[in-house]
Amino acid sequence: MEKYQGKTGGWLRADGPQSDIVISSRVRLARNIKDIPFSLGASEEDLKQVVELFQQAFPKSMYLANADFLELKEISELDQLFLAERHLISHELSRSQHGCVAIGDKEMVGIMINEEDHLRLQVMVSGLQPLPAWQILDRIDDELAHNLEYAVSPRWGYLTACPTNVGTGMRASVMLHLPALVLTEQIKKMPKAIAQLGLAIRGFYGEGTSSLGDFFQISNQITLGQKEEEIVDNIEKIVSQIVEHERKAEQILFKRNPLKIKDRIHRAYGVLLNARLISSNEAMNLLSSLRLGIRMKILEGIGFDVLNELIIIIQPAHIQKWAGKILNEEERDAVRADIIRRKIAN
Amino acid sequence: MEKYQGKTGGWLRADGPQSDIVISSRVRLARNIKDIPFSLGASEEDLKQVVELFQQAFPKSMYLANADFLELKEISELDQLFLAERHLISHELSRSQHGCVAIGDKEMVGIMINEEDHLRLQVMVSGLQPLPAWQILDRIDDELAHNLEYAVSPRWGYLTACPTNVGTGMRASVMLHLPALVLTEQIKKMPKAIAQLGLAIRGFYGEGTSSLGDFFQISNQITLGQKEEEIVDNIEKIVSQIVEHERKAEQILFKRNPLKIKDRIHRAYGVLLNARLISSNEAMNLLSSLRLGIRMKILEGIGFDVLNELIIIIQPAHIQKWAGKILNEEERDAVRADIIRRKIAN
């Protein structure tokens, strides 16, 4: 686990297109192995067999040859939370009896074994590039398919534990930072408009349109009856438009009351740079204002990579890994404040 | 009025005893001129006569020889508010038809003419020194008495418009900054305890024990049956004890949770140094935390004189005099934020 500490996944480097607004693009595939029951109905033997089959298959994949393979029951609860905070495993996987994860170089590729489906393959990249993410994932999927026999129906396509994934088994999503659409309240109209386009928007950390830190995830709802490239292409086009709306909302905010938005941003900076105790929620909201300030050039000198990194490393497990021990809430608030101060002051 | 701009009264220099906690000591005397009705019942002729008699008398006083003499009806409403913010005149005086004020060097001495009483003489000095303030005031009073005949009753002493001032006609008060007693909630017990000692405590800006900026005024309630020196001595002793309580409360706060108090103080600093819009109330409360931080040596490099000055100059009339024009509320909030940033950053 040590190799993951002190640095974050490559998808947070903010070197992709539109990465001031689009944090990352993620594509994942749900795959199940032929003739083995889905995880929920599987016996322990079945689950073990899935692990064995995957362990035989993945080293033969070019993308996964050097991946780390971890059995969740071998690592601590804190480390499991740490991986969940990095978007590498789900909380559901932690509850699985034979949950495993394979993590590729720089965390671009992650594969969960024995989650809801036998395999959940994901690729995460920086910025708005769901198509490249899909292309990499497609290659990995093909490589694995050489050595694993997937459950496929000629009529329905890939079979999945949950019917909403049947067909392509693909879910593409983009994580966006939309503070200006939140402040101008335009975000409220988004869910309905986006649903009509076959996509869904939800707060990345939280529910509905009141997302912590103004982060939102947009993903496809349809997995059946469309080609993967079409789905990914559709997301890219719609997200491009949302990005334009966000940039316009920025200008509206500034024109409406430049002092008010400047005040908000400078105050956020002042508190982040001076607090000695800070909760995760407050930090996320202030970091959102700070990020908006950098985007609007009201503040300077802090990179989007640092801001992306902070979203991940101020979470509870990361804080405790940083401190090297289990901490109570107030202790975490203190370490969180320290981490933020150091990262921003640099 | 220009001579008063850009600097504040000498009583704000924070060079008196205990001036980290005790902002100032003030003593005032209520005096009326013999055979002229009290202001409320006086005719215009009477009021004019009071002005004339005072104008003849004051240049003969050593302390007042170089005083500025201003008729309130000759100056703008903004300038009247400006003088009220400096504690040199009352709002009541502004409403008087023939209200005047004489202001001595560095604003240590101020005399209101035709307020509730014909004359209200005050001396304000830095820190906890009500006795020296009284001694100066007593000299001025004596000097004026050579040239003005006061209304005195052999039985009651000095006669005043309001019976609560009869006798010595003296009110001594001390302005204290008590954030630690507020944070530990010990302040709640003070009004009762202090009343038993013949004194009163009240929020300097606001009501009761929820004072804006944690400033409190302690003053004598009794004006009859005690000598002036006794009253002043009593206040000095009791305030000394309150100051000790405040210092102990500081230590309690720190022992209880050092991070929490540090966080409060550093955040206040961060916001004051970065806000672009700030209301008077918020500024007063943050400046209170900042002042506590300087006192506790959690922060450094800002003098108590600067902090005292800020209390005065962030008020609406001072802000508009600084800007050189009438401003609406948001404009004042913007200028206030600028002033604070400049003063603190220096």
Side-chain angles (χ1 to χ4, degrees), chain B residues 58-296:
Chain B
F58 88 82
K60 295 169 193 160
S61 151
M62 191 190 79
Y63 277 102
L64 295 172
N66 298 314
D68 289 326
F69 183 85
L70 302 165
E71 287 192 67
L72 261 60
K73 62 183 170 192
E74 301 291 320
I75 64 175
S76 70
E77 233 173 274
L78 183 64
D79 282 341
Q80 291 181 26
L81 188 57
F82 177 78
L83 293 176
E85 287 174 356
R86 295 171 92 87
H87 306 293
L88 290 168
I89 67 168
S90 63
H91 294 292
E92 230 173 312
L93 188 72
S94 291
R95 286 189 292 269
S96 162
Q97 267 195 303
H98 289 277
C100 299
V101 63
I103 305 168
D105 187 38
K106 296 195 182 86
E107 303 172 38
M108 180 177 75
V109 184
I111 298 178
M112 289 191 285
I113 299 100
N114 286 329
E115 214 244 23
E116 184 183 293
D117 296 295
H118 294 155
L119 302 180
R120 283 276 175 106
L121 291 62
Q122 78 168 15
V123 165
M124 278 198 290
V125 295
S126 171
L128 180 57
Q129 41 182 350
L131 187 61
W134 159 248
Q135 287 161 339
I136 295 164
L137 188 56
D138 191 29
R139 284 280 299 275
I140 296 168
D141 186 43
D142 285 348
E143 288 177 345
L144 286 176
H146 283 300
N147 302 293
L148 284 172
E149 204 170 345
Y150 287 151
V152 190
S153 143
R155 180 159 181 195
W156 299 111
Y158 292 100
L159 297 178
T160 56
C162 178
T164 59
N165 291 319
V166 163
T168 58
M170 188 189 82
R171 188 81 63 196
S173 65
V174 171
M175 184 172 159
L176 294 143
H177 182 236
L178 305 175
L181 289 174
V182 171
L183 286 171
T184 57
E185 299 192 357
Q186 295 176 62
I187 198 80
K188 288 180 180 168
K189 298 177 202 152
M190 304 272 294
K192 207 175 157 191
I194 283 175
Q196 288 168 343
L197 300 163
L199 303 182
I201 181 166
R202 64 177 185 86
F204 203 86
Y205 298 96
E207 288 299 311
T209 53
S210 64
S211 175
L212 200 53
D214 306 320
F215 290 108
F216 294 88
Q217 178 172 282
I218 288 182
S219 59
N220 62 308
Q221 290 302 87
I222 298 158
T223 56
L224 196 63
Q226 267 190 312
K227 286 197 67 179
E228 288 88 344
E229 282 81 1
E230 282 170 15
I231 295 171
V232 156
D233 193 53
N234 187 35
I235 287 195
E236 182 163 340
K237 280 183 183 140
I238 292 165
V239 169
S240 291
Q241 287 173 33
I242 295 171
V243 167
E244 285 320 301
H245 280 297
E246 171 69 10
R247 295 201 196 282
K248 274 179 199 149
E250 234 178 63
Q251 291 168 16
I252 290 168
L253 279 178
F254 197 81
K255 271 186 200 152
R256 223 182 251 175
N257 193 331
L259 263 178
K260 199 170 164 192
I261 188 70
K262 280 187 192 173
D263 182 57
R264 183 188 184 89
I265 288 161
H266 283 285
R267 276 172 182 256
Y269 175 73
V271 173
L272 288 167
L273 201 65
N274 287 282
R276 295 301 190 268
L277 288 171
I278 195 162
S279 73
S280 175
N281 282 17
E282 188 191 4
M284 285 293 279
N285 288 328
L286 293 177
L287 285 168
S288 176
S289 293
L290 191 62
R291 185 178 186 105
L292 178 61
I294 301 286
R295 238 170 62 191
M296 293 175 79

Side-chain angles (χ1 to χ4, degrees), chain A residues 157-215:
Chain A
Y158 292 100
L159 297 177
T160 55
C162 177
T164 59
N165 291 318
V166 163
T168 58
M170 188 189 82
R171 188 81 64 195
S173 65
V174 171
M175 184 172 159
L176 293 144
H177 182 236
L178 305 174
L181 289 174
V182 171
L183 285 171
T184 57
E185 299 192 357
Q186 295 177 63
I187 199 80
K188 288 179 181 168
K189 297 177 203 152
M190 303 271 293
K192 207 175 156 191
I194 284 176
Q196 288 169 342
L197 300 163
L199 303 183
I201 181 166
R202 63 177 185 87
F204 202 86
Y205 299 96
E207 288 299 311
T209 54
S210 63
S211 175
L212 200 54
D214 306 320
F215 290 108

Side-chain angles (χ1 to χ4, degrees), chain B residues 12-66:
Chain B
L12 290 160
R13 272 181 308 198
D15 52 5
Q18 314 268 31
S19 58
D20 54 340
I21 291 177
V22 185
I23 312 301
S24 59
S25 301
R26 166 155 76 160
V27 186
R28 73 149 172 71
L29 289 173
R31 294 291 183 255
N32 288 280
I33 294 166
K34 199 181 169 185
D35 298 333
I36 300 181
F38 294 138
S39 304
L40 257 175
S43 67
E44 224 184 311
E45 279 313 302
D46 293 332
L47 296 174
K48 281 186 187 167
Q49 205 194 334
V50 169
V51 173
E52 276 163 30
L53 288 170
F54 178 77
Q55 280 186 300
Q56 287 159 18
F58 88 82
K60 295 169 193 160
S61 151
M62 191 190 79
Y63 277 102
L64 295 172
N66 298 314

